[in-house]
Structures are given as C-alpha cells and as structure tokens.
Amino acid sequence: MTTPMLDYVNVAKRFGDFVALSGVSMQVHPGQVVCLIGPSGSGKSTLLRCTNGLELIDGGEIKLAGKTMPRDPRGMRAVRQRMGMVFQNFELFPHRTALANIMSGPLTVLRLSRADAEQRATALLAKVGLSDKAASYPANLSGGQQQRVAIARALAMQPDIMLFDEPTSALDPETIGEVLNVMKQLAEEGMTMLVVTHEMNFARRVADHVVVFERGAIIEQGPPKQIFEAPLVERTRDFLSHLGWEG
Amino acid sequence: MTFDWSIIQTHAGELLQGTELTIMLAVATMAIAIPGGIILALLRLSGSRILAAISASFTEFFRNLPLILVIYAAYYMLPLAFDFAFSPIVTALIALSLNVSAYNGETFRAGIASIRRGQSEAALALGMSRFQAMREVILPQAIRRVLPVLASTWVSLFKDTSLVSVIAVGDLAYTSMRIRSQTFRVLEMLTAMAAIYWMLGYPQAKLVDWLNRRTGISE
C-alpha cells in the first residue's frame, strides 16, 4: 500500500477545558476525496485547521507523506505551500482584483515573475469559469463567484492536497451548485481533497471515503455506500436522519 | 479705532513665506509620522512583550504631554543630549513627529486590529510568513480603513504647527506675530493669520468629510 498523503494518529486538541478533538485516527490517500461530516462543533473544521497548522495539536501526530508535521514557522510555511485551503467565508483579499488575488501566492511565496504569475492566474480563472471577472474586486462578485476565485487562488500554489472548510455553507442556495461543480471537476482530475461539508449529496457522490464526527471524535468511517446506505453505528443514522436523509 | 489693512499687503511676501514653512512643516511631519506610526503599531502587535512595552511607553508618553511642552523640551534638551545645536526647524520637526507618530501608532493599531482574523489566516494558508501577510494583506487594508482618521490628524497637525512659533521657527504664526509687534497692527494681523489658516484648513476638513463618507459606503 502506498504511503498515505495524510496520516492522523490519535490526534488531540483542546481549547482550554473544551476537548475539540480526541483520539482521531484516519488517513487520506493520494487522489482520494475524503469528506468529513457531522454536527456543527464536532471537530471537523478543527481537524482541517490543525492539518495546515492554523491550530497546533496537543497530542498524537499528523504525518504528511510519511513525515511528521513540523511545528517551526519555516517548516510550517513549507507544508502550507503544499496544501491549498478554501474557507467558509472565502477570505478573498478585498483590496485586490480577482486576478491579483490568484496571483498573490505565486508572486509573494513562489516568487514567480509577474508575467508567469499572471499567466497561471488567467488559466485558473478560466478553469473556474470566471475569465470575464479578472478585473473585478471581490465586493462586486457573488458569493459563488468569490468562492470559485478562492479555489483558484489556492490552486495557484499547485498544491498536493486541497482542504475545503465548509466551502458552501455561506452561500445562497442558487450558487452552491457552481462551487460544487468546480470541486467535482477537481476530484475527477485526481486532486487529493479533504472536505468538511454539510452537502450530503456531494459526499455521497464524490467522496471515496466519508468520516463521521461527533463531539471531537470519529464515530464511523468508511466508503459513502456504507455511511449513507448501511451505517454501522446508530448515531450516524441519527445524524443523517436529522438532516432529512432517507438513504 | 481705525484699521490699516494695507499692512497685510506690505508684508505679503513674509506672510507667504511663513505659510510655505507651515505647509512644509506639516508635510514633513506626516511623512515621518506615518512610517513612525506603522512601526509603533507593528512593535505593539509583534508578540514580543519587550517590544510591545517599548512601543506602549513611547505612545503613552508623547500622547499625554501637551505638544507645546514637547516642543520646549526638544528645544532645550536636544542640544544637551546630542551636544549639537539643531536648527529651530529641525527641532520643531522632531517634536511634532514624536507627538504625531504616537497618535498615528494608535490609529494604525486600531486599523490592523479591525481586519478580521480570517484574512491573515488566508495569507498564512498560502504559505506567506507573518511579515508577508502583514505587508501584503493586512496593512494595505488597515491603511485604507484608517484614512479618514489620518486625515483628521493631519488637519489638527496643520493647525498645531503654529505652536512651534514659541521656539522662533518662522512659520505663519510666528511671522504674523512678529509683524504685529513691529507695526502694532494687532487686529489686522490676527485677522490675516486667521484668514490664511482657515482658507487652507477648510478644504482639508471638507476632504476629511468626503473620505469619511466614501469609506462609510464601501464597508
């Protein structure tokens, strides 16, 4: 078996007295789409933020391609360059145009020439279907458009893995589809993806592996067929039925 | 009582020179105090306790002393400290810059703190260093956001430069007062001085209003 892209071993995280994660063990293999589902506050987003070091874990271990995650600033920067992250609230840079947002990483971090960065950004903007919005500022884009630009901005670093933190939760229903389509296309191209989501249809259709969280721990994980059609754990069934999921 | 307004005309050249010096002093002070304020804010937010304490002490010291006292202190103490006599203009510039930097430091600190955390996280997630995130993402937004405050600091500074007349810097205030005591045309000179300060200050104040309205809409 190949080395997992991400290997979580007994990961623990506390915020003061609150246990955000405990005993979390799971793996993400190259080319896989792994969806993290579960109630709000169950630790899914925290796990994602620990993955690229926006939060530091208090116990256990996270390994990237077999190597333990560094904790020093320089090492963490190197790791983050290999992971694209997409946020719930897009977090586009409001003082820069869509194109300039996408060029941010290549220019500042990879030190590409302006021409190369622009070429890369233009291609990515086309990929997410927003070529005509290159000169638009985030304030003049819809939520769905902003999130697609944010995906392109993360892809501009040519990461090994993409982390999505509830990418459609802040969107109007009519723009959720366009973002999910871009994500589906990425998955089909073989991008390794770790997705925190409440979009059960996306998880069922696109994920290779689904992990169910509750109160900071994994209660069940397996292929989507198992999770959505024949969950082994009663609480998984409860969670899904709360969402109106009938299987 | 009779007025002799021709006195203004006869001394127009001197008044113009004084006005030029006032403008120059205000511009030079702001040119120093903006980078100065940014440095103070960055030290304060650096995460280092020592640097933050240095910045905070500097700010609270100069922000809470009357400007006129700082000007006098600079005038008498700088030559002692450096064993070198600075010209009155340089002394005035130093005193004004210390005061305005302290104010700008607080302004920038508030501006930086107002940028939501997700913005620096997004920059870090791209692989930027904390310094790059500050330079590329946080500061440009923070500066835009505090522009109206900086502008109103500027308007205050423009008028406060008149305090440097106490150490014989030939600004507009000093020049007017000097002509007054030479000619004894007190009301005429005070009127002329008021008119010049007001005519220069009013458009600036309007500009501040406009900036306030504009940023009010975009946020």
Side-chain angles (χ1 to χ4, degrees):
Chain A
M1 191 142 187
T2 51
T3 321
M5 177 91 75
L6 283 169
D7 194 359
Y8 300 83
V9 187
N10 253 320
V11 171
K13 172 71 187 172
R14 285 180 304 275
F15 295 106
D17 287 339
F18 178 74
V19 178
L21 294 172
S22 68
V24 170
S25 296
M26 57 175 269
Q27 296 182 334
V28 181
H29 291 277
Q32 258 191 340
V33 176
V34 174
C35 283
L36 310 182
I37 65 172
S40 299
S42 59
K44 316 176 297 286
S45 290
T46 304
L47 188 73
L48 210 64
R49 294 166 58 80
C50 288
T51 305
N52 73 351
L54 287 179
E55 307 283 355
L56 292 176
I57 58 175
D58 298 314
E61 200 178 7
I62 302 177
K63 285 190 268 194
L64 175 66
K67 285 192 190 126
T68 300
M69 211 68 88
R71 291 176 86 102
D72 62 298
R74 184 184 293 265
M76 285 203 305
R77 248 181 288 152
V79 163
R80 286 179 185 142
Q81 290 176 32
R82 298 167 58 189
M83 300 180 181
M85 175 125 174
V86 175
F87 297 85
Q88 183 177 348
N89 294 316
F90 331 131
E91 300 298 352
L92 287 182
F93 306 139
H95 59 300
R96 292 186 172 169
T97 63
L99 193 73
N101 260 281
I102 303 173
M103 289 165 66
S104 298
L107 277 181
T108 306
V109 180
L110 303 179
R111 306 218 172 270
L112 254 57
S113 72
R114 190 154 273 282
D116 289 348
E118 190 169 334
Q119 197 181 15
R120 190 182 282 192
T122 308
L124 284 166
L125 213 44
K127 187 188 173 89
V128 298
L130 290 170
S131 292
D132 55 327
K133 300 291 182 189
S136 300
Y137 283 89
N140 299 321
L141 297 174
S142 74
Q145 291 170 333
Q146 288 189 58
Q147 194 61 298
R148 284 188 280 158
V149 173
I151 292 171
R153 179 178 67 179
L155 289 173
M157 294 296 291
Q158 300 184 331
D160 299 332
I161 180 170
M162 288 284 286
L163 312 174
F164 292 87
D165 189 6
E166 301 196 23
T168 57
S169 297
L171 294 177
D172 295 330
E174 66 266 26
T175 64
I176 290 177
E178 63 193 54
V179 171
L180 291 179
N181 281 337
V182 168
M183 292 170 62
K184 211 157 88 185
Q185 184 195 338
L186 270 181
E188 282 161 6
E189 290 168 7
M191 175 61 80
T192 310
M193 294 163 56
L194 184 55
V195 186
V196 173
T197 187
H198 292 294
E199 292 294 322
M200 294 307 141
N201 275 312
F202 178 84
R204 194 177 66 109
R205 290 207 204 111
V206 182
D208 300 298
H209 190 77
V210 178
V211 184
V212 189
F213 275 77
E214 193 182 82
R215 293 183 194 173
I218 294 173
I219 53 171
E220 182 171 0
Q221 55 181 319
K225 209 172 167 57
Q226 170 197 325
I227 302 294
F228 292 104
E229 285 167 33
L232 304 174
V233 180
E234 183 64 33
R235 284 178 296 165
T236 303
R237 206 167 310 157
D238 289 346
F239 167 68
L240 291 172
S241 68
H242 275 302
L243 294 176
W245 185 267
E246 300 300 337
Chain B
M1 191 167 181
T2 54
F3 293 106
D4 177 11
W5 296 105
S6 69
I7 199 81
I8 296 165
Q9 218 170 350
T10 24
H11 292 85
E14 290 157 78
L15 286 173
L16 185 67
Q17 273 181 359
T19 307
E20 278 170 8
L21 189 66
T22 288
I23 295 172
M24 198 208 76
L25 205 52
V27 170
T29 300
M30 219 35 168
I32 295 172
I34 285 180
I38 292 177
I39 291 168
L40 283 172
L42 292 183
L43 291 178
R44 189 76 175 262
L45 300 167
S46 64
S48 149
R49 239 175 230 214
I50 297 168
L51 294 180
I54 291 172
S55 167
S57 321
F58 178 97
T59 303
E60 294 311 335
F61 186 77
F62 285 107
R63 209 162 59 123
N64 296 304
L65 282 180
L67 180 54
I68 196 164
L69 184 66
V70 177
I71 293 169
Y72 271 126
Y75 186 67
Y76 290 113
M77 282 154 75
L78 278 179
L80 291 177
F82 291 93
D83 200 19
F84 175 80
F86 293 94
S87 73
I89 293 183
V90 173
T91 307
L93 185 59
I94 292 173
L96 288 170
S97 298
L98 289 171
N99 177 269
V100 180
S101 293
Y103 274 98
N104 284 354
E106 287 301 284
T107 303
F108 284 119
R109 186 164 73 103
I112 291 168
S114 78
I115 306 298
R116 65 170 187 271
R117 212 179 126 143
Q119 285 285 304
S120 63
E121 288 183 348
L124 292 178
L126 283 173
M128 290 189 198
S129 64
R130 275 172 52 100
F131 177 77
Q132 287 171 329
M134 184 57 76
R135 190 191 61 199
E136 300 285 323
V137 175
I138 308 301
L139 263 186
Q141 294 184 55
I143 291 173
R144 250 161 260 224
R145 203 168 280 189
V146 300
L147 218 49
V149 187
L150 287 179
S152 80
T153 303
W154 162 266
V155 173
S156 301
L157 163 67
F158 188 78
K159 292 175 293 181
D160 289 348
T161 53
S162 59
L163 291 170
V164 305
S165 58
V166 299
I167 56 168
V169 173
D171 75 322
L172 175 58
Y174 181 81
T175 308
S176 315
M177 293 302 156
R178 190 173 46 76
I179 300 169
R180 175 205 59 176
S181 47
Q182 284 165 357
T183 61
F184 303 105
R185 309 304 322 186
V186 177
L187 281 170
E188 289 86 337
M189 284 325 292
L190 285 179
T191 308
M193 182 175 149
I196 297 172
Y197 271 115
W198 192 88
M199 282 190 299
L200 290 170
Y202 180 73
Q204 295 172 14
K206 286 284 120 185
L207 186 70
V208 175
D209 288 349
W210 178 77
L211 275 173
N212 267 321
R213 269 202 309 277
R214 212 188 57 151
T215 45
I217 291 165
S218 74
E219 300 217 357

